Amino acid sequence: MVIQFRGSIRLPKHFNRQKYLEVAKVLKIPAKTAEGYITSFIKANLIHREQQDNYLNLLSEENEDVEEIKEN
């Protein structure tokens, strides 16, 4: 299982702020809202903040393929 925004684009196992903001932009989610989602995911123990600007998706499996963001 992976964390998904609106069921379509997944966050990889390891990601940073830039990556989740790219996902948010594609989905037309404001940056502040995306930041709030990440904070909520951390509080719910779905994401671990390893260090500043370095996150671990606790629901992702290492060998699972992750969808790439494609700009139109």
Side-chain angles (χ1 to χ4, degrees):
M1 177 186 280
V2 296
I3 295 173
Q4 298 181 348
F5 285 98
R6 296 186 188 166
S8 59
I9 298 179
R10 303 170 185 180
L11 291 172
K13 183 153 183 95
H14 296 277
F15 64 96
N16 60 18
R17 183 176 186 272
Q18 179 181 351
K19 178 66 175 176
Y20 77 71
L21 290 178
E22 288 174 9
V23 171
K25 183 178 179 182
V26 169
L27 297 173
K28 297 178 174 53
I29 297 172
K32 284 290 190 184
T33 302
E35 290 169 356
Y37 288 162
I38 295 298
T39 299
S40 296
F41 293 155
I42 291 168
K43 289 179 181 178
N45 293 318
L46 301 174
I47 291 176
H48 174 69
R49 183 175 176 221
E50 295 183 310
Q51 60 188 21
Q52 184 174 350
D53 196 33
N54 189 359
Y55 301 91
L56 175 64
N57 179 350
L58 298 175
L59 299 179
S60 179
E61 296 179 15
E62 276 294 332
N63 59 0
E64 186 167 356
D65 291 331
V66 177
E67 295 177 30
E68 290 297 318
I69 298 173
K70 296 178 182 168
E71 300 267 346
N72 292 332

Coordinates of all heavy atoms in Angstrom, one line a residue:
M1 N 0.8 -1.2 0.0 CA 0.0 0.0 0.0 C 0.9 1.2 0.0 O 1.9 1.2 0.6 CB -0.9 0.0 1.2 CG -1.7 1.2 1.3 SD -2.7 1.3 2.9 CE -4.0 0.3 2.5
V2 N 0.5 2.3 -0.7 CA 1.2 3.5 -0.7 C 0.3 4.7 -0.5 O -0.9 4.5 -0.6 CB 1.9 3.7 -2.1 CG1 3.0 2.7 -2.3 CG2 0.9 3.8 -3.2
I3 N 0.8 5.8 0.0 CA 0.0 7.0 0.2 C -0.3 7.6 -1.1 O 0.6 7.8 -2.0 CB 0.7 7.9 1.1 CG1 0.9 7.3 2.5 CG2 0.0 9.3 1.2 CD1 1.7 8.1 3.4
Q4 N -1.6 7.9 -1.4 CA -2.0 8.4 -2.6 C -2.7 9.7 -2.4 O -3.5 9.9 -1.4 CB -2.9 7.5 -3.4 CG -2.3 6.2 -3.7 CD -3.2 5.3 -4.5 OE1 -4.4 5.5 -4.6 NE2 -2.7 4.2 -5.1
F5 N -2.5 10.7 -3.3 CA -3.3 11.9 -3.3 C -4.5 11.6 -4.2 O -4.3 11.3 -5.4 CB -2.6 13.1 -3.8 CG -1.6 13.7 -2.9 CD1 -0.2 13.3 -2.9 CD2 -2.0 14.6 -1.9 CE1 0.7 13.8 -2.1 CE2 -1.1 15.1 -1.0 CZ 0.3 14.7 -1.1
R6 N -5.7 11.7 -3.8 CA -6.9 11.5 -4.6 C -6.9 10.2 -5.4 O -7.4 10.1 -6.5 CB -7.1 12.7 -5.6 CG -7.4 13.9 -4.8 CD -7.7 15.0 -5.7 NE -7.8 16.3 -5.0 CZ -7.9 17.4 -5.5 NH1 -7.8 17.6 -6.8 NH2 -8.0 18.5 -4.8
G7 N -6.2 9.2 -4.9 CA -6.2 7.8 -5.5 C -5.5 7.7 -6.8 O -5.6 6.7 -7.4
S8 N -4.7 8.7 -7.2 CA -4.1 8.5 -8.6 C -2.6 8.6 -8.6 O -1.9 7.8 -9.2 CB -4.7 9.6 -9.5 OG -4.4 10.9 -9.0
I9 N -2.0 9.5 -7.9 CA -0.5 9.7 -7.9 C 0.0 9.3 -6.5 O -0.5 9.8 -5.5 CB -0.1 11.1 -8.3 CG1 -0.6 11.4 -9.7 CG2 1.4 11.3 -8.2 CD1 -0.3 12.8 -10.2
R10 N 1.0 8.5 -6.5 CA 1.6 7.9 -5.3 C 2.9 8.6 -4.9 O 3.6 9.0 -5.7 CB 1.9 6.5 -5.5 CG 0.7 5.7 -5.9 CD 1.1 4.3 -6.4 NE -0.1 3.6 -6.9 CZ -0.1 2.4 -7.3 NH1 1.1 1.7 -7.3 NH2 -1.1 1.8 -7.8
L11 N 3.1 8.7 -3.6 CA 4.3 9.2 -3.1 C 5.3 8.0 -2.9 O 4.9 6.9 -2.4 CB 4.1 9.8 -1.7 CG 3.4 11.1 -1.7 CD1 3.1 11.6 -0.3 CD2 4.2 12.2 -2.4
P12 N 6.5 8.1 -3.4 CA 7.5 7.0 -3.3 C 7.9 6.8 -1.8 O 7.5 7.5 -0.9 CB 8.7 7.5 -4.1 CG 8.6 9.0 -4.1 CD 7.1 9.3 -4.0
K13 N 8.6 5.7 -1.6 CA 9.1 5.3 -0.3 C 9.9 6.5 0.4 O 9.7 6.8 1.5 CB 9.9 4.0 -0.3 CG 10.3 3.6 1.1 CD 10.4 2.1 1.2 CE 10.8 1.7 2.6 NZ 9.6 1.3 3.4
H14 N 10.8 7.0 -0.4 CA 11.6 8.2 0.1 C 11.3 9.3 -0.8 O 11.3 9.2 -2.0 CB 13.1 7.8 0.1 CG 13.5 6.7 1.0 ND1 13.8 6.9 2.3 CD2 13.7 5.4 0.7 CE1 14.1 5.7 2.8 NE2 14.0 4.8 1.9
F15 N 11.0 10.5 -0.1 CA 10.7 11.7 -0.9 C 11.1 12.9 -0.1 O 11.3 12.8 1.1 CB 9.3 11.7 -1.4 CG 8.3 11.8 -0.2 CD1 7.7 13.0 0.2 CD2 7.9 10.6 0.4 CE1 6.8 13.0 1.2 CE2 6.9 10.7 1.5 CZ 6.4 11.9 1.8
N16 N 11.0 14.1 -0.8 CA 11.3 15.3 -0.1 C 10.2 16.3 -0.4 O 9.2 16.0 -1.1 CB 12.7 15.9 -0.5 CG 12.7 16.1 -2.0 OD1 11.7 16.2 -2.7 ND2 14.0 16.3 -2.5
R17 N 10.3 17.5 0.1 CA 9.3 18.5 -0.1 C 9.0 18.8 -1.6 O 7.9 18.9 -2.0 CB 9.7 19.8 0.7 CG 8.6 20.9 0.6 CD 9.1 22.1 1.5 NE 8.0 23.1 1.5 CZ 7.9 24.1 0.7 NH1 8.7 24.2 -0.4 NH2 6.9 24.9 0.8
Q18 N 10.1 18.9 -2.3 CA 10.0 19.2 -3.7 C 9.1 18.2 -4.4 O 8.2 18.5 -5.2 CB 11.3 19.3 -4.4 CG 11.2 19.6 -5.9 CD 12.6 19.6 -6.6 OE1 13.6 19.6 -5.9 NE2 12.6 19.7 -7.9
K19 N 9.3 16.9 -4.1 CA 8.5 15.8 -4.7 C 7.1 15.9 -4.4 O 6.2 15.8 -5.3 CB 9.1 14.5 -4.3 CG 8.3 13.3 -4.8 CD 8.5 13.2 -6.3 CE 7.8 11.9 -6.8 NZ 7.8 11.8 -8.3
Y20 N 6.7 16.1 -3.1 CA 5.3 16.2 -2.8 C 4.6 17.5 -3.3 O 3.5 17.5 -3.6 CB 5.0 15.9 -1.3 CG 5.2 17.0 -0.3 CD1 4.5 18.1 -0.2 CD2 6.3 16.8 0.7 CE1 4.7 19.1 0.8 CE2 6.5 17.8 1.7 CZ 5.7 18.9 1.7 OH 5.9 19.8 2.7
L21 N 5.4 18.5 -3.5 CA 4.8 19.7 -4.1 C 4.6 19.5 -5.6 O 3.7 20.1 -6.1 CB 5.7 21.0 -3.8 CG 5.7 21.4 -2.3 CD1 6.7 22.6 -2.2 CD2 4.3 21.8 -1.9
E22 N 5.5 18.7 -6.2 CA 5.2 18.4 -7.6 C 3.9 17.6 -7.8 O 3.2 17.9 -8.7 CB 6.4 17.6 -8.2 CG 7.7 18.3 -8.4 CD 8.8 17.4 -8.8 OE1 8.6 16.2 -9.1 OE2 10.0 17.9 -8.8
V23 N 3.7 16.7 -6.9 CA 2.5 15.9 -6.9 C 1.3 16.8 -6.7 O 0.3 16.7 -7.4 CB 2.5 14.8 -5.9 CG1 1.2 14.1 -5.7 CG2 3.6 13.8 -6.2
A24 N 1.4 17.7 -5.8 CA 0.3 18.6 -5.5 C 0.0 19.5 -6.7 O -1.1 19.8 -7.0 CB 0.7 19.4 -4.2
K25 N 1.0 20.0 -7.3 CA 0.9 20.9 -8.5 C 0.1 20.2 -9.6 O -0.8 20.8 -10.2 CB 2.2 21.4 -9.0 CG 2.1 22.4 -10.1 CD 3.5 22.9 -10.6 CE 3.4 23.8 -11.7 NZ 4.7 24.3 -12.2
V26 N 0.5 19.0 -9.9 CA -0.2 18.2 -10.9 C -1.7 18.0 -10.6 O -2.6 18.1 -11.5 CB 0.5 16.8 -11.1 CG1 -0.4 15.9 -12.0 CG2 1.9 17.0 -11.7
L27 N -2.0 17.9 -9.3 CA -3.4 17.7 -8.9 C -4.1 19.0 -8.5 O -5.2 19.0 -8.1 CB -3.4 16.8 -7.6 CG -2.9 15.3 -7.9 CD1 -2.8 14.6 -6.6 CD2 -3.8 14.6 -8.9
K28 N -3.4 20.1 -8.8 CA -3.9 21.4 -8.5 C -4.3 21.6 -7.0 O -5.3 22.2 -6.7 CB -5.1 21.7 -9.4 CG -4.8 21.7 -10.9 CD -6.0 22.0 -11.8 CE -5.6 22.1 -13.2 NZ -4.8 21.2 -13.9
I29 N -3.5 21.1 -6.2 CA -3.6 21.3 -4.7 C -2.6 22.4 -4.3 O -1.4 22.3 -4.6 CB -3.3 20.0 -4.0 CG1 -4.2 18.9 -4.4 CG2 -3.3 20.2 -2.5 CD1 -3.8 17.5 -3.8
P30 N -3.1 23.4 -3.6 CA -2.2 24.5 -3.2 C -1.1 24.0 -2.3 O -1.3 23.0 -1.6 CB -3.1 25.5 -2.4 CG -4.5 25.1 -2.8 CD -4.5 23.7 -3.2
A31 N 0.1 24.6 -2.4 CA 1.2 24.2 -1.6 C 0.9 24.1 -0.1 O 1.3 23.1 0.5 CB 2.4 25.1 -1.9
K32 N 0.3 25.1 0.4 CA 0.0 25.1 1.9 C -0.9 23.9 2.2 O -0.8 23.3 3.3 CB -0.7 26.4 2.3 CG 0.2 27.6 2.4 CD 1.1 27.4 3.6 CE 1.9 28.6 3.8 NZ 2.9 28.4 4.9
T33 N -1.9 23.6 1.4 CA -2.7 22.4 1.6 C -1.9 21.1 1.6 O -2.1 20.3 2.5 CB -3.9 22.4 0.6 OG1 -4.6 23.6 0.6 CG2 -4.8 21.2 0.8
A34 N -1.0 21.0 0.6 CA -0.2 19.8 0.6 C 0.7 19.7 1.8 O 0.8 18.6 2.4 CB 0.7 19.8 -0.7
E35 N 1.2 20.8 2.3 CA 2.0 20.8 3.5 C 1.2 20.3 4.7 O 1.6 19.6 5.6 CB 2.6 22.2 3.8 CG 3.7 22.5 2.8 CD 4.1 24.0 2.8 OE1 3.5 24.8 3.6 OE2 5.0 24.3 2.1
G36 N -0.1 20.8 4.7 CA -1.0 20.3 5.8 C -1.3 18.8 5.7 O -1.4 18.2 6.8
Y37 N -1.4 18.3 4.5 CA -1.6 16.9 4.3 C -0.4 16.1 4.9 O -0.6 15.1 5.6 CB -1.8 16.5 2.9 CG -3.1 16.9 2.2 CD1 -3.3 17.0 0.9 CD2 -4.2 17.3 3.0 CE1 -4.5 17.3 0.3 CE2 -5.4 17.6 2.4 CZ -5.6 17.7 1.1 OH -6.7 18.0 0.5
I38 N 0.8 16.6 4.5 CA 2.0 15.9 5.0 C 2.1 15.9 6.5 O 2.3 14.9 7.1 CB 3.3 16.5 4.4 CG1 3.3 16.3 2.8 CG2 4.5 15.9 5.0 CD1 3.3 14.8 2.4
T39 N 1.7 17.0 7.1 CA 1.7 17.1 8.6 C 0.7 16.1 9.2 O 1.0 15.4 10.1 CB 1.4 18.6 9.0 OG1 2.4 19.4 8.5 CG2 1.3 18.7 10.5
S40 N -0.4 16.0 8.6 CA -1.5 15.1 9.0 C -1.0 13.7 8.9 O -1.2 12.8 9.8 CB -2.8 15.3 8.3 OG -3.3 16.6 8.5
F41 N -0.3 13.4 7.8 CA 0.2 12.0 7.5 C 1.2 11.6 8.6 O 1.3 10.5 9.0 CB 0.7 11.9 6.1 CG -0.3 11.9 5.0 CD1 0.1 12.3 3.7 CD2 -1.6 11.7 5.2 CE1 -0.8 12.4 2.7 CE2 -2.5 11.7 4.2 CZ -2.1 12.1 2.9
I42 N 2.1 12.6 8.9 CA 3.1 12.4 10.0 C 2.4 12.1 11.3 O 2.8 11.1 12.0 CB 4.1 13.6 10.1 CG1 4.9 13.7 8.8 CG2 4.9 13.5 11.3 CD1 5.7 15.0 8.6
K43 N 1.4 12.9 11.7 CA 0.7 12.7 13.0 C 0.0 11.4 13.0 O -0.1 10.8 14.1 CB -0.2 13.8 13.2 CG 0.4 15.2 13.5 CD -0.6 16.3 13.7 CE 0.2 17.6 14.0 NZ -0.8 18.7 14.2
A44 N -0.4 10.9 11.8 CA -1.1 9.6 11.7 C -0.2 8.4 11.6 O -0.6 7.3 11.4 CB -2.1 9.6 10.6
N45 N 1.1 8.7 11.7 CA 2.2 7.7 11.5 C 2.1 6.9 10.2 O 2.4 5.8 10.1 CB 2.1 6.6 12.7 CG 2.5 7.3 14.0 OD1 3.4 8.0 14.1 ND2 1.7 6.9 15.0
L46 N 1.8 7.7 9.1 CA 1.8 7.1 7.8 C 3.1 7.5 7.1 O 3.5 6.9 6.2 CB 0.6 7.7 7.0 CG -0.8 7.3 7.5 CD1 -1.9 8.0 6.7 CD2 -1.0 5.8 7.6
I47 N 3.7 8.6 7.6 CA 4.9 9.2 7.0 C 5.8 9.5 8.2 O 5.4 9.9 9.3 CB 4.7 10.5 6.2 CG1 4.0 10.1 4.9 CG2 6.0 11.2 5.9 CD1 3.7 11.4 4.1
H48 N 7.1 9.2 8.1 CA 8.1 9.5 9.1 C 9.0 10.6 8.5 O 9.5 10.5 7.4 CB 8.9 8.3 9.5 CG 10.0 8.6 10.4 ND1 9.8 8.9 11.7 CD2 11.4 8.6 10.2 CE1 11.0 9.2 12.3 NE2 11.9 8.9 11.4
R49 N 9.2 11.7 9.3 CA 10.1 12.7 8.9 C 11.5 12.3 9.4 O 11.8 12.4 10.6 CB 9.7 14.1 9.4 CG 10.6 15.2 9.0 CD 10.0 16.5 9.5 NE 10.9 17.6 9.2 CZ 11.2 18.6 9.9 NH1 10.7 18.7 11.1 NH2 12.1 19.5 9.6
E50 N 12.4 11.8 8.5 CA 13.7 11.4 8.9 C 14.6 12.5 9.4 O 15.4 12.4 10.3 CB 14.3 10.6 7.8 CG 13.6 9.3 7.5 CD 14.2 8.5 6.5 OE1 14.5 9.0 5.4 OE2 14.4 7.3 6.7
Q51 N 14.5 13.6 8.6 CA 15.3 14.8 8.9 C 14.6 15.9 8.1 O 13.7 15.6 7.3 CB 16.8 14.6 8.6 CG 17.0 14.3 7.1 CD 18.5 14.0 6.9 OE1 19.2 13.7 7.8 NE2 18.9 14.2 5.7
Q52 N 15.1 17.1 8.2 CA 14.6 18.2 7.5 C 14.6 17.9 6.0 O 15.6 17.5 5.4 CB 15.3 19.5 7.7 CG 14.7 20.7 7.0 CD 15.4 22.0 7.4 OE1 16.2 22.0 8.3 NE2 15.0 23.0 6.7
D53 N 13.4 18.0 5.3 CA 13.3 17.8 3.9 C 13.6 16.4 3.5 O 14.0 16.1 2.3 CB 14.1 18.8 3.1 CG 13.6 18.9 1.6 OD1 12.4 18.7 1.4 OD2 14.5 19.1 0.8
N54 N 13.3 15.4 4.3 CA 13.6 14.0 4.0 C 12.5 13.2 4.7 O 12.5 13.1 5.9 CB 15.0 13.6 4.4 CG 15.4 12.3 3.9 OD1 14.6 11.6 3.2 ND2 16.6 11.8 4.3
Y55 N 11.6 12.6 3.9 CA 10.5 11.8 4.4 C 10.5 10.4 4.0 O 11.1 10.0 3.0 CB 9.2 12.4 4.0 CG 9.0 13.9 4.4 CD1 9.5 14.9 3.5 CD2 8.5 14.2 5.6 CE1 9.4 16.2 3.9 CE2 8.4 15.6 6.0 CZ 8.8 16.6 5.1 OH 8.7 17.9 5.5
L56 N 9.9 9.5 4.8 CA 9.8 8.1 4.6 C 8.3 7.7 4.6 O 7.7 7.9 5.6 CB 10.6 7.3 5.6 CG 10.5 5.8 5.5 CD1 11.1 5.3 4.2 CD2 11.1 5.1 6.7
N57 N 7.9 7.2 3.5 CA 6.5 6.7 3.3 C 6.4 5.4 4.0 O 6.9 4.4 3.4 CB 6.1 6.7 1.9 CG 4.7 6.2 1.6 OD1 4.0 5.7 2.5 ND2 4.3 6.3 0.4
L58 N 5.8 5.2 5.1 CA 5.8 4.0 5.9 C 4.9 2.9 5.3 O 5.0 1.8 5.6 CB 5.4 4.3 7.4 CG 6.3 5.2 8.1 CD1 5.8 5.5 9.5 CD2 7.7 4.6 8.2
L59 N 4.0 3.3 4.4 CA 3.1 2.4 3.8 C 3.6 1.8 2.4 O 3.0 0.9 1.9 CB 1.7 3.0 3.6 CG 1.0 3.4 4.9 CD1 -0.3 4.1 4.5 CD2 0.9 2.3 5.8
S60 N 4.7 2.4 1.9 CA 5.2 1.9 0.7 C 6.1 0.7 0.8 O 6.7 0.5 1.8 CB 6.0 3.1 0.0 OG 6.6 2.7 -1.2
E61 N 6.1 -0.1 -0.2 CA 7.0 -1.3 -0.3 C 8.1 -1.0 -1.2 O 7.9 -0.5 -2.3 CB 6.2 -2.5 -0.7 CG 5.1 -2.9 0.3 CD 4.3 -4.1 -0.1 OE1 4.7 -4.8 -1.0 OE2 3.2 -4.3 0.4
E62 N 9.3 -1.4 -0.8 CA 10.5 -1.1 -1.6 C 10.4 -1.5 -3.1 O 10.8 -0.8 -4.0 CB 11.7 -1.8 -1.0 CG 12.4 -1.0 0.1 CD 13.0 0.3 -0.4 OE1 13.4 0.4 -1.5 OE2 13.1 1.2 0.5
N63 N 9.9 -2.7 -3.4 CA 9.9 -3.2 -4.7 C 8.6 -2.8 -5.5 O 8.5 -3.2 -6.6 CB 10.0 -4.7 -4.7 CG 8.9 -5.4 -4.0 OD1 8.0 -4.7 -3.4 ND2 9.0 -6.7 -3.9
E64 N 7.8 -2.0 -5.0 CA 6.6 -1.5 -5.7 C 6.9 -0.4 -6.7 O 7.6 0.5 -6.3 CB 5.5 -1.1 -4.7 CG 4.2 -0.8 -5.3 CD 3.1 -0.6 -4.3 OE1 3.3 -0.8 -3.1 OE2 2.0 -0.3 -4.7
D65 N 6.4 -0.5 -7.9 CA 6.6 0.5 -8.9 C 5.7 1.7 -8.5 O 4.6 1.6 -8.0 CB 6.1 0.0 -10.2 CG 7.0 -1.0 -10.8 OD1 8.2 -1.0 -10.4 OD2 6.6 -1.9 -11.6
V66 N 6.3 2.9 -8.7 CA 5.6 4.2 -8.3 C 5.4 4.9 -9.6 O 6.2 5.0 -10.5 CB 6.5 5.0 -7.4 CG1 5.9 6.3 -7.1 CG2 6.8 4.3 -6.1
E67 N 4.2 5.4 -9.8 CA 3.8 6.2 -10.9 C 4.6 7.5 -11.0 O 4.9 8.1 -10.0 CB 2.3 6.6 -10.9 CG 1.4 5.4 -11.0 CD 0.0 5.9 -10.9 OE1 -0.3 7.0 -11.3 OE2 -0.8 5.1 -10.4
E68 N 5.1 7.8 -12.2 CA 5.8 9.0 -12.4 C 4.9 10.1 -12.7 O 3.9 9.9 -13.4 CB 6.8 8.8 -13.5 CG 8.0 7.9 -13.2 CD 8.9 8.5 -12.1 OE1 9.1 9.7 -12.1 OE2 9.3 7.7 -11.2
I69 N 5.2 11.3 -12.3 CA 4.4 12.5 -12.6 C 4.7 12.9 -14.1 O 5.8 13.0 -14.5 CB 4.7 13.6 -11.7 CG1 4.4 13.2 -10.2 CG2 4.0 14.9 -12.1 CD1 4.8 14.3 -9.2
K70 N 3.6 13.1 -14.8 CA 3.8 13.5 -16.2 C 3.0 14.8 -16.4 O 1.8 14.9 -16.2 CB 3.2 12.4 -17.1 CG 4.0 11.1 -17.0 CD 3.4 10.1 -17.9 CE 4.2 8.8 -17.7 NZ 3.5 7.6 -18.3
E71 N 3.7 15.8 -16.7 CA 3.2 17.1 -17.0 C 2.5 17.1 -18.3 O 3.0 16.5 -19.3 CB 4.2 18.2 -16.9 CG 4.9 18.3 -15.6 CD 4.3 19.3 -14.7 OE1 3.5 20.1 -15.1 OE2 4.7 19.3 -13.5
N72 N 1.3 17.7 -18.5 CA 0.7 17.8 -19.8 C 1.0 19.0 -20.5 O 1.3 20.0 -20.1 CB -0.9 17.7 -19.6 CG -1.3 16.3 -19.1 OD1 -0.6 15.3 -19.4 ND2 -2.4 16.3 -18.4

